[in-house]
Amino acid sequence: MRHGGINCGHGNNILLISENMKPTLLILAAGIGSRYGSLKQLDRIGPSSETIIDYSIYDAIRAGFGKVVFVIKENIAKEFSEVFDEKLKGRIEVDYAFQEIHKIPEGLTYSKERQKPWGTGHAVLMAKNKIHEPFAVINADDFYGHGSFQAIVDFYQGWTQKKGDPYCMVGYELGKTLSENGSVSRGVCKADVCGLLIEVTERTKIERDTKGIAYIDENSQSSYLDERTTVSMNFWGFTPSFFEHLETGFLEFIKNNVNSPKAEFYIPTVVNDLLERKTASVKILTCSDQWFGMTYKEDRDLVISKIAELVKAGIYPADLWK
């Protein structure tokens, strides 16, 4: 396994990247969000009508990111442009990539019943021609906290292609990622003694009950996880080499699932395959920030109140872009 400059004996060591190469933030915003019930990516939750995306970009800019790329469906491009282009002008470079169902390898067809995009792995692949530097991947409807963006920038500080292709992910404590309004799915992470990811296992229907944090296991039985279990919230750090792995993985996936109306190609699927074949390393970057998001419509009021608390504490200004 290539460890890309990570020294297992010194857990605080970071990679040594080029001073003028700023990472790119890739925001996945093409999902339909059926449980939420509307275009939640553009829902205004800040005191000056900010979206969750605004806070992610604000944190990314002050951490040192140089560009943001939105992965969206083309039919909402005008809405996104109207919301973000003018306010971000002169602050950070902005670009768009479009995720559409029909964007699959030439010569293949797909089920007419297919309505949703092909998953997060496919979404990232759509930005291949937009990104030529280390990049972070996040969900549009999740609030990650400033520390997570800084961790990605620090990790890739001094990176050049000669230093290999180390990947990373920001890990959160499970207890800080739950919704009060229903169950969630989380990628439960297993790490080695050096903090390198061994595998990500998707767990579904996670929620608190009277005994703790439960999920439904492979036998449809309730099992329990510790509050401090490290989980993936789809905050990844990659170098451009990851696009090659995505292309290979997606070609195989689409051949096997082209007629399935619901199958999705996920980032952790590709990552797990690379780890299993020992062709990549993924460093888990720990984060103490409180994650929150809008999985359900009922989550909105809680998100608004949490943002208000952060503004009151002086962590964010009342008007991000003033």
Side-chain angles (χ1 to χ4, degrees):
M1 178 182 290
R2 290 177 297 151
H3 290 274
I6 298 173
N7 186 333
C8 274
H10 299 83
N12 292 325
N13 280 12
I14 58 174
L15 299 172
L16 290 179
I17 148 179
S18 161
E19 287 295 328
N20 59 359
M21 184 179 291
K22 295 183 176 181
T24 287
L25 179 63
L26 182 62
I27 302 179
L28 307 186
I32 296 173
S34 58
R35 286 183 293 181
Y36 190 76
S38 64
L39 192 59
K40 60 179 173 180
Q41 301 97 320
L42 299 182
D43 199 352
R44 311 303 177 93
I45 46 83
S48 297
S49 297
E50 293 90 353
T51 65
I52 283 187
I53 294 175
D54 281 302
Y55 288 94
S56 292
I57 296 174
Y58 181 86
D59 282 335
I61 290 173
R62 59 178 176 168
F65 283 75
K67 181 169 69 174
V68 57
V69 177
F70 294 102
V71 179
I72 58 175
K73 297 188 73 174
E74 195 165 6
N75 64 357
I76 59 174
K78 184 175 183 292
E79 293 175 78
F80 263 77
S81 178
E82 290 175 348
V83 171
F84 294 107
D85 286 6
E86 187 60 33
K87 73 171 71 170
L88 297 179
K89 187 176 181 180
R91 301 178 189 273
I92 191 170
E93 183 182 346
V94 178
D95 205 345
Y96 295 87
F98 301 123
Q99 183 186 20
E100 304 293 345
I101 297 175
H102 67 267
K103 292 189 175 183
I104 61 175
E106 190 175 350
L108 296 176
T109 59
Y110 58 89
S111 170
K112 293 181 179 180
E113 297 177 27
R114 186 85 197 184
Q115 295 182 344
K116 298 180 66 175
W118 294 99
T120 56
H122 181 244
V124 175
L125 186 56
M126 295 300 96
K128 177 186 176 182
N129 296 327
K130 306 286 185 178
I131 299 174
H132 309 285
E133 57 282 319
F135 63 100
V137 179
I138 65 169
N139 294 329
D141 53 351
D142 291 342
F143 180 95
Y144 294 98
H146 173 257
S148 55
F149 294 91
Q150 192 64 59
I152 295 285
V153 171
D154 290 346
F155 182 78
Y156 284 115
Q157 184 64 41
W159 179 84
T160 67
Q161 289 185 334
K162 294 181 180 180
K163 293 183 180 293
D165 293 300
Y167 305 147
C168 63
M169 59 152 281
V170 180
Y172 289 79
E173 291 183 8
L174 174 61
K176 295 181 178 180
T177 71
L178 303 180
S179 170
E180 297 179 0
N181 297 298
S183 64
V184 297
S185 297
R186 297 287 180 258
V188 176
C189 301
K190 182 179 179 181
D192 66 14
V193 294
C194 301
L196 294 174
L197 185 66
I198 296 176
E199 65 178 359
V200 181
T201 303
E202 187 74 7
R203 297 301 186 190
T204 60
K205 298 183 178 179
I206 302 174
E207 58 186 332
R208 291 187 189 277
D209 64 17
T210 56
K211 297 179 181 179
I213 300 177
Y215 71 94
I216 303 301
D217 63 20
E218 295 83 354
N219 300 314
S220 299
Q221 301 295 317
S222 291
S223 295
Y224 289 85
L225 294 165
D226 187 271
E227 287 267 349
R228 294 171 293 179
T229 299
T230 299
V231 295
S232 166
M233 298 306 299
N234 215 36
F235 198 144
W236 299 91
F238 298 116
T239 62
S241 67
F242 190 64
F243 291 117
E244 299 172 17
H245 299 305
L246 284 172
E247 281 188 315
T248 301
F250 186 63
L251 180 59
E252 182 178 350
F253 166 86
I254 205 69
K255 286 180 178 178
N256 294 330
N257 296 278
V258 71
N259 291 316
S260 172
K262 294 184 178 181
E264 294 190 47
F265 180 61
Y266 296 115
I267 296 170
T269 302
V270 180
V271 171
N272 279 335
D273 180 62
L274 293 174
L275 295 177
E276 186 175 332
R277 292 190 286 112
K278 302 186 184 303
T279 55
S281 66
V282 179
K283 179 70 173 179
I284 298 178
L285 309 178
T286 57
C287 180
S288 60
D289 290 338
Q290 174 78 47
W291 172 95
F292 50 87
M294 295 196 293
T295 304
Y296 301 94
K297 191 74 173 178
E298 293 79 9
D299 292 330
R300 185 175 186 273
D301 288 343
L302 179 62
V303 169
I304 290 174
S305 66
K306 285 184 176 294
I307 292 292
E309 290 174 7
L310 293 171
V311 170
K312 185 177 181 180
I315 297 174
Y316 297 98
D319 188 336
L320 282 185
W321 308 114
K322 186 175 182 180

